[in-house]
């Protein structure tokens, strides 16, 4: 009978240990879920801020020099006109979207290699990349 009692005590200790482990695991899961949620929320906030900055910069560029803005932003004259006419409320509403509004314009490996090259004459690489990109921009709008 003494052995049976010790076994019951040991089983109870193991149950308490298991209950504590499950509780700790639940707490860990909650913290991880909270961190994931906060990271996602922070990322979405950064996307919204980037959208707002991009739209405000685009409007400023368009209003200062439309031809240069369409070239630098890689947008058509029609899109430039739309962006120029946006009200503050419309800019804020559009910027609050979870989708990033701006995107990388160069999908050409040659351009990326020129921009990231570590040659002595970086200005030549930069100009070469600009020439390639301007040719692509003309091809898109033509």
């Amino acid at each position: 009978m003494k052995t049976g009692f010790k076994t019951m005590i040991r089983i109870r200790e193991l149950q308490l240990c298991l209950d504590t482990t499950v509780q700790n695991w639940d707490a860990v899961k909650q913290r991880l879920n909270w961190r994931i949620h906060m990271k996602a929320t922070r990322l979405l906030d950064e996307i919204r801020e980037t959208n707002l900055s991009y739209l405000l910069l685009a409007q400023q560029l368009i209003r200062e020099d439309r031809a240069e803005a369409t070239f630098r932003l890689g947008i058509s004259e029609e899109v430039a006109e739309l962006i120029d006419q946006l009200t503050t409320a419309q800019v804020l509403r559009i910027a609050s979207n979870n989708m990033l509004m701006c995107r990388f314009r160069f999908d050409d490996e040659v351009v990326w290699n020129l921009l990231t090259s570590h040659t002595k004459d970086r200005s030549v690489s930069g100009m070469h990349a600009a020439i390639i990109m301007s040719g692509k921009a003309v091809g898109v709008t033509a």
Side-chain angles (χ1 to χ4, degrees), residues 88-123:
T88 304
Q90 289 172 320
V91 168
L92 291 172
R93 191 172 335 116
I94 293 168
S96 68
N97 190 340
N98 292 339
M99 297 292 290
L100 194 59
M101 302 211 45
C102 55
R103 65 181 177 94
F104 290 109
R105 287 179 42 204
F106 10 101
D107 53 2
D108 188 343
E109 188 177 347
V110 173
V111 175
W112 280 106
N113 287 335
L114 286 168
L115 292 171
T116 59
S117 68
H118 298 289
T119 60
K120 290 182 182 178
D121 197 355
R122 294 182 123 208
S123 61

Side-chain angles (χ1 to χ4, degrees), residues 7 13 22 25 27 29-30 47 49 59 74 79 83 85-86 95-96 100-101 108 119-120 126 129 136:
T7 303
E13 287 174 351
V22 168
W25 176 245
K29 280 193 331 189
Q30 284 179 339
I47 288 173
E49 283 181 40
Q59 277 189 329
V79 172
I83 293 172
Q85 299 301 316
L86 292 174
S96 68
L100 194 59
M101 302 211 45
D108 188 343
T119 60
K120 290 182 182 178
K136 288 184 178 211

Side-chain angles (χ1 to χ4, degrees), residues 123-140:
S123 61
V124 172
S125 293
M127 285 190 294
H128 189 191
I131 291 167
I132 292 172
M133 289 185 297
S134 68
K136 288 184 178 211
V138 170
V140 169

